Amino acid sequence: MVEQQSPLGPVWKPGAHGKVLGGPGVVLEETRPGSIVQLAAFPGEEKAVMAIIADATGLRLPDGAGAGMASGGKAAFGFAPGRFLVIDQEEGLAERLKPVVPVAVGTVTDLSHGRTAIRISGPKAEWVLSKLFAIDFALPAFPEGAGRSTVHHDIFTQVQRTGPDGFDLYVFRSFARSFWTTLCHASEDVGYDIR
Amino acid sequence: MAEYSAFSLLRNALTGNRDWRPAWRKATPKPSYDVVIIGGGGHGLSTAYYLAKEHGISNVAVLEKGWLGSGNIGRNTTMVRSNYLLPKNTHFYEHSMKLWEGLSQDLNYNVMFSQRGVLNLAHTPAQLDDFARRGNAMRHCGVDAELMTRDEIARFVPALDINVGGRFPVAGGLIQRRAGTARHDAVAWGYARGADRRGVDIVENCEVVGFLLEGDRIVGVNTSRGEIRAKKVAVAVAGSTGRVMKLAGIERLPIESHVLQAFVSESIKPFMDTVVTFGAGHLYVTQSDKGGMVFGGDIDGYNTYAQRGNLPIVEDVMSEIVALFPGLARVRLLRSWGGIMDMSMDGSPIITKGPRPGMYLNCGWCYGGFKATPASGWAFAWTIAKDEPHAINAHYTLDRFHRGILIDEKGQGSTPRLH
Amino acid sequence: MLITCPYCGPRDLAEFSYQGDGNRQRPDPGSTDHEAWNAYVYDRLNTAGDHREVWQHSGGCRAHLAVTRNTLTHRISSVAFAREAGHRPHERKHGGES
Amino acid sequence: MSARRAASGGLIDRDKTVRFTFDGRPYVGFAGDTLASALLANGVTLFGRSFKYHRPRGLLSAGIDEPNALVTVLKGDVREPNIPATLLEIHDGLAVVSQNRFPSLAFDVGAASQLAGKLISAGFYYKTFMGPAIGPLRGTRFWMFCEHFIRRSAGLGRAGFAKDPARYERMNAFCDVLVVGSGPAGLMAAKAAAERGGRVILAELDQRFGGSANWSDETIDGMPASSWADRMIDELSERGNVRLLNRATVWGYYDGNTLAALERVTDHKSVGGVGEPRHRHWVIRAGAVVLATGALERPLVFPGNDRPGVMLASAAERFANEFGVLPGEKSVLFTNNDGAYRAAAALAKAGSVIAAIVDVRAQISPAAKGLAAEAGAELLAGHAIAGTEGGRAVSAVKVQPFDATNGKPFGDTRTIQADSLLVSGGWSPAIHLASQAGGKPQWSAELQAFLLPDATQNWIGAGAVTGRFSTSEALAQGHAAGIAATGGPEMPVSLPDVAAHGLDLRPAPVLEVRGEGKAFVDFQHDVTADDVRLAHREGFVSVEHLKRYTTLGMATDQGKTSNIPGLAIMAEAQGVAIEDVGTTRFRPPFAPVSIGALAAERFGDVKPERLTPMHDWHVEHGATMYAAGLWFRPMIYGEPGETIEQAYVREARAVRSAVGIVDVSTLGKIAVQGPDAATFLDRVYTNMFSTLPVGKARYGLMLREDGIAFDDGTTWRLDENEFLMTTTTANAGKVMQHLEYFLDVVWPDLKVHLTSVTDEWAGAAVAGPKSRDVLAACVTGTAVDNAALPFMGIVRGEIAGAPVMICRLSFSGEMAFEVYCGAGHGTHVWNALMQAGKPLGMVPYGLEALGTLRIEKGHVTGAEIDGRTTARDLHLDWMLSKKKPFIGSMMMDREGLAAPERISLVGLVSLDNRPLNGGAHIVEELDELSPHDSIGHVTATCYSPALGRYIGLALVKGGKARHGTRAFISDPLRKRFGPVEIVSHHFYDPEGSRMHG
């Protein structure tokens, strides 16, 4: 397969930036998963879709709005009523899912090219993200594995908490370069490493 | 009542300013009038003034539920212009502009109309063409309009970052030089004093709580200060239109009330000598004679009668003003406030007889109410006096929406928050 | 202002788009009642007080919400998914306000 | 050290000296000083000039309420005007200048305006400068001439044009309890809430936490109040659930218990840290709010009350206790309440001589008397200050017996030498935030102040803001508020012990001493008591009229010290109670907020950029990029020396004669999926989509509900239950929202999902007679001949190993194909297409050429679908299905939308062989001097290489009926007039043989 080109281009500058003393507050990465797929259930079919996700990825999502899991190069979370984002480091997830989702149950939409995955981790991840999004990043309010849909001005973003101080962000590809620049800017006061 | 002049100022100064009299009488309502105007804002007061001045009808009361000028006449960003695209609007607002140009002398009250120009910035060649279309439309209606080049704009407004941070470089602009700003409160007070001097009763703290009916016909109003009968009842209550018309049994109108926030910075020395609007966002900004930067942007975008807005619009507007004027980042916002806009379904106003017999309605001003104050009152007075509209407001009917004869300046259809 | 999205929880006003008056009644798609169509498109109750309205959580889950909000105080008394709200504003042919 | 700095005391760090300049002169202060305290310690009394009369002014207050001592902070070319010296912390290198004076603060020619005296009383502008009704100065000319000079004398500091190099940021915070104010009440509330596990934010506007504890001489739990506060802060800072914010002014109380605070992060530092913002804009969503905002002291109104050296008593106490600075060597106090006595004792203790305490009250409490004695002050009960003497500072005060019944002094005047006069007119609770939150403040005659309204949002008041002024009450209220804010029952607790003076801060109802000479109410705006009475005489009696007519309370301090005295004078003039004059609603911000902070991270980056996958390629290949909304698109790929017109003509010619390629990735793309997808499309499009076979695309038109044309585009049926809809670039978001609304609100029973896939796909349109050859050369896995890929057909294949989807459709009128691939493969596929096209002469083309090609074909875009035109106006009525209802179908035939006089789409050909201008109007008869009677306007123009003419599209009254007739374009703005022929908008290949071929 042809490798996907990163949308970040010249603004992706690996190395240490911003405040130097005290180590990097956050690490920023573009994770470049092979598959980002939306699975959407028609009303009443949510459980069926969650079962399909479990079969395909091994991730058994808990019930509830925004519930999700991340494990072993795979991640999934709910981000809207009946809608889930499923991420796999491997390519081809959408093709695998399409045949197993019955027409009456839901739909599969491949967003592997359309969303750019950015990981922010480190002790200051909550602080940096709080500059950009009006949602509560504190662990009790935003537990591990959970997903959120939110927006930074014009830039729609889906966020999954992948660890105590780690978050994966999914932004529209066309905005990724601007968003990355903004994210770096917001990370300067705590220092950041780009990997 | 005494004329205002430099001479009267001097004479009074010599006597310790003890002889000044109220600018208008605090009238007690009479049992009946020829015309009762509900709403002591700019439009209601100018209506009363022109009824008396142009039509000799001075047995008129203006009823204001609170203090005079407490609505949008007292809480706008003071801009006056007639740079409209659609000829129906252009002619109306140009009529207003002409009244503005002689208003201080006419009222013997300095409304401080300063024709410092309104400059619309364009940021792409296509937008400049779009502005040219509007400017040419104005010129074909006999209204002044000019295009300015990028270099001319840089010289005209040196505080402006002509490249807008590199993101939206200015491509040019459309300027109406006769446009400008006026002292908003003074307009209300000047019309009040002018109407009062012609015998109109201005009744403050008089809230209309119902309408008097004879059959289907409105024959007066019930107020917090008693019943007042009138041959004609005119409603000019802007953001309160929905509430007042419900009292008359009109449940639905092509109007939504929305809040528009406005902002003023601390006073600074002369920074900018015109009005500037941002073409890649929604911002209009000027500087008051006191030195405050006066500016605003979009309406908050939801139905409300509360004169308070919320933070998202505040932040949007601030981000845009510093994009144009990066030197203002260190200037401080002094005050914000909200006014209730009567947003119509096509963005243009309603000045009409009806909708019930004995009643006349003036509303739907959206953002445009302040600049319209003279022409609105002038045309409304005409409509009330003659029981038919003047040519300049003949199209501002209530039934145009259903008939599809829309005057949609922004082309947004029946979504008021977008007008 | 915060709106409590039934899916996302309380979120800032900046994440929402106002989609207008929820009291309007859209006639049947095939209805030829012009007055009903006109009333639906143009006429508004413009309530001063508790107002039924539609918001979209456009900066979140993108669901449309049926919200009751007081236009004098901005206090929100109820929020539900528009598609599930018992009083879907549209598609009702008859009846007045509820 | 100077005489004004006490030998010891204060919370400043006497070991750290700080050097700064004021008006170019160097000064030295201590770390922890404000500019006010440092200059005061250096003997400076003159801080500024007033707005209108340019009168010399000194410090009135020690805090955020300061109306007089405003300065401009310089950072190179960057200027920050109107900063209160009382809030500005000094640091090494700080450069500050005074303002509103020329040529200098000490000698200001503007002060000559005082000579005009009563001539320029309140509202004088309205009565003059109108100019004549006739003659050369008629209209607005005379006023504008005068205004020029008025504007130059108005304004306070000067802002710069230079870009502020600072950065700003926004911070979103969530907490259970926000405590506003860190005085004793706020500290207790924060502690109680934190102990109960709540997430707490404690915000303090000053540099030091502790509020009044920093300047009171009381003890709490046996230690100085400030030490107690320090200990409380130490305890709170160790807790994981408390965020402490000092230098953070909570300025806005918005709906949903959303509050805004401004944190001054680096203003007090010589150099900020890497990436540190100057100001941080906090947006705090709080479950509950404890308002522990304290109270503001009011001055008294009397002749000469604005002379430098006249200061609030509490400010003097604060300067002495918090900063170790004395306002004067010899002071007189003037009061209507007990509070000033505490200040007298504090100042005496710090080393000032207290010459006298002048009290309008005849009866003085024993506690106050005790303090007067302690201060060694002569007590003049039942007296008032009738005037002050001195040049740029007080040198003496005049005291007379006071008649409280008429507010006038009488009898013998005594002159007391003093270099400072400290006044207290009682206290106003700082209820601003509660008022912003909604609710009407309540008047207390006892306190002569407005008290908190009933809570309309979830807040609780504690401490002086409630009108209870003792520290022990503040501690108890704070504790209770902290508990209540976290919910649940109160738990018994032993509150700290307070040793206080037991003073009664309820004032006598006297705020003005009437006499000869200017007595100021609003210091900054120079509003005098006479101005208030003049407003009354002229009928401006409601509080809002008073404010607007006199500008009382409109200055940078927003009336914090002047509102109540102003209302009192108006009430007295009217003969009514103060509450009947009314109060104005407090509006955000509580104190001025830097505009940059509210712009936050958008300062310098107002909007994000949206880039297509091939963006870098375009830039590398010489494209001039064009901003289209947030997107950037190539306008032309100019070659050296080419004009824009030459470039697009070359590009368009290449398309017509050979082949070109254009990036169409910006088109809106929406996946419409589900069993009811076709039904849904039938309802939203004017034409039928359920009949579209799988593997085919169709051009569709949407209307708005009101029957006006909304958007157009092609929609591709990829599968029985899956469509790919395309929209115009500009309307992509609006269309998505429109569709979602109908699906969610109107037709929730339809099983359809909508997903924006704009960014999933890169799109390239390959157009021109050789376009098929280009594809044939690079596409694998499918044939692209007419059989496999007929007009509007769709195939899937690969280009250079990347999967692609190809639809044969045309915007240019030529044989053309849209090639879609995954966005991450966009450049890869584009390069492969370029490679394949090279031998065939393929060129990339931009928006200008795209526009040219579409104008030649007469296709409409946003310039014609402008929100006012109907399908009929655009000759798209052939697309209006009669077999089904669709959005807008019942509204589109209304009288006004079917009227014959509407404008409709035509083509224009320039007859003078010169370019037409977009935005020009069309007239039947040319009148260059006074253009009139426009019959329409030009929507799009180009030089048509295909026709060899300058052509355009236009919307013209009468439309088709004018085909073949002559008219003129009239563009007075650009002075372009000339003849045109009105023709059909289908200029080129109207039969469509080229694209079908």
Side-chain angles (χ1 to χ4, degrees), chain B residues 246 252 303-305 417, chain C residues 18 45-46 69 71 74 97:
Chain B
K246 275 191 181 58
R252 291 170 190 259
N303 278 59
T304 178
Y305 287 90
R417 71 186 161 90
Chain C
Y18 188 58
L45 270 181
N46 202 18
R69 188 182 54 94
T71 56
H74 296 173
E97 300 311 315

Side-chain angles (χ1 to χ4, degrees), chain A residues 2 5 38 83 104 107-111 113-114 130-131 133 136 152-153 172 174 177-178 185 188, chain D residues 167 169-170 172 174 199 601-602 609-611 616 673 751 753-756 759-760 822 824-825 827:
Chain A
V2 179
Q5 181 189 23
Q38 171 186 282
R83 296 200 185 206
T107 57
V108 177
T109 314
D110 191 357
L111 299 170
H113 290 258
S130 293
K131 297 182 185 187
F133 301 106
D136 191 349
H152 172 66
H153 301 307
F172 278 47
S174 58
R177 193 177 290 184
S178 259
H185 190 72
E188 271 181 27
Chain D
R167 61 185 286 167
E169 72 184 26
R170 183 176 201 269
N172 294 287
F174 297 80
R199 272 204 285 176
E601 79 288 345
R602 280 186 284 183
E609 297 178 349
R610 260 191 116 168
L611 307 179
D616 294 338
Q673 297 166 281
K751 281 191 166 183
H753 286 140
L754 301 169
T755 308
S756 170
D759 289 33
E760 175 68 11
H825 298 152
T827 307

Side-chain angles (χ1 to χ4, degrees), chain A residues 35-40 48-59 74-76 84-88 90-103 105-112, chain D residues 673 722:
Chain A
S35 300
I36 303 172
V37 178
Q38 171 186 282
L39 241 79
V49 163
M50 287 162 75
I52 292 167
I53 293 171
D55 286 348
T57 64
L59 300 171
K74 294 183 172 63
F84 302 87
L85 206 64
V86 188
I87 300 97
D88 190 339
E90 303 298 318
E91 292 190 354
L93 178 64
E95 288 73 15
R96 293 199 296 281
L97 285 172
K98 271 187 181 163
V100 298
V101 178
V103 168
V105 167
T107 57
V108 177
T109 314
D110 191 357
L111 299 170
S112 305
Chain D
Q673 297 166 281
E722 180 168 359

Side-chain angles (χ1 to χ4, degrees), chain B residues 221-373:
Chain B
V221 289
N222 243 320
T223 78
S224 54
R225 297 174 70 172
E227 250 184 44
I228 305 173
R229 298 185 74 83
K231 293 180 188 143
K232 301 180 176 184
V233 175
V235 179
V237 295
S240 299
T241 300
R243 289 206 267 188
V244 170
M245 293 302 282
K246 275 191 181 58
L247 299 175
I250 309 293
E251 286 292 323
R252 291 170 190 259
L253 285 169
I255 298 283
E256 284 182 5
S257 293
H258 285 248
V259 65
L260 174 67
Q261 299 190 65
F263 307 94
V264 64
S265 78
E266 294 183 341
S267 285
I268 53 177
K269 289 293 177 193
F271 184 81
M272 187 179 84
D273 202 24
T274 186
V275 180
V276 172
T277 73
F278 182 27
H282 196 176
L283 173 81
Y284 34 91
V285 54
T286 185
Q287 186 175 18
S288 76
D289 285 338
K290 259 173 60 191
M293 303 303 296
V294 179
F295 54 107
D298 269 324
I299 52 176
D300 268 40
Y302 43 82
N303 278 59
T304 178
Y305 287 90
Q307 289 172 333
R308 43 181 288 153
N310 275 290
L311 262 178
I313 287 289
V314 179
E315 294 167 343
D316 288 348
V317 169
M318 300 304 145
S319 72
E320 293 187 3
I321 193 171
V322 293
L324 293 187
F325 301 102
L328 292 179
R330 283 189 188 231
V331 170
R332 304 192 303 164
L333 175 69
L334 176 62
R335 193 167 63 246
S336 67
W337 63 94
I340 304 306
M341 307 291 121
D342 37 336
M343 304 300 295
S344 74
M345 294 291 144
D346 63 359
S348 295
I350 294 156
I351 307 176
T352 189
K353 194 179 166 187
R356 297 191 69 154
M359 182 180 229
Y360 303 79
L361 179 61
N362 175 322
C363 64
W365 290 100
C366 304
Y367 290 54
F370 178 64
K371 66 180 93 72
T373 304

Side-chain angles (χ1 to χ4, degrees), chain C:
Chain C
M1 187 146 70
L2 295 178
I3 298 175
T4 300
C5 170
Y7 188 85
C8 304
R11 292 292 183 94
D12 192 274
L13 175 64
E15 292 195 352
F16 294 86
S17 304
Y18 188 58
Q19 296 281 50
D21 187 344
N23 297 294
R24 298 178 299 142
Q25 293 151 34
R26 192 174 197 269
D28 262 356
S31 163
T32 55
D33 181 346
H34 287 276
E35 268 318 294
W37 279 104
N38 274 321
Y40 161 64
V41 173
Y42 290 111
D43 298 347
R44 302 287 190 271
L45 270 181
N46 202 18
T47 310
D50 281 345
H51 185 239
R52 290 187 349 192
E53 55 199 27
V54 180
W55 291 77
Q56 185 186 17
H57 191 191
S58 49
C61 65
R62 295 197 70 88
H64 281 81
L65 309 177
V67 174
T68 304
R69 188 182 54 94
N70 190 299
T71 56
L72 299 168
T73 64
H74 296 173
R75 185 184 296 273
I76 292 170
S77 50
S78 78
V79 186
F81 288 122
R83 58 165 49 233
E84 290 172 3
H87 61 268
R88 273 217 311 281
H90 302 313
E91 294 300 278
R92 282 198 317 172
K93 281 176 277 182
H94 308 291
E97 300 311 315
S98 56

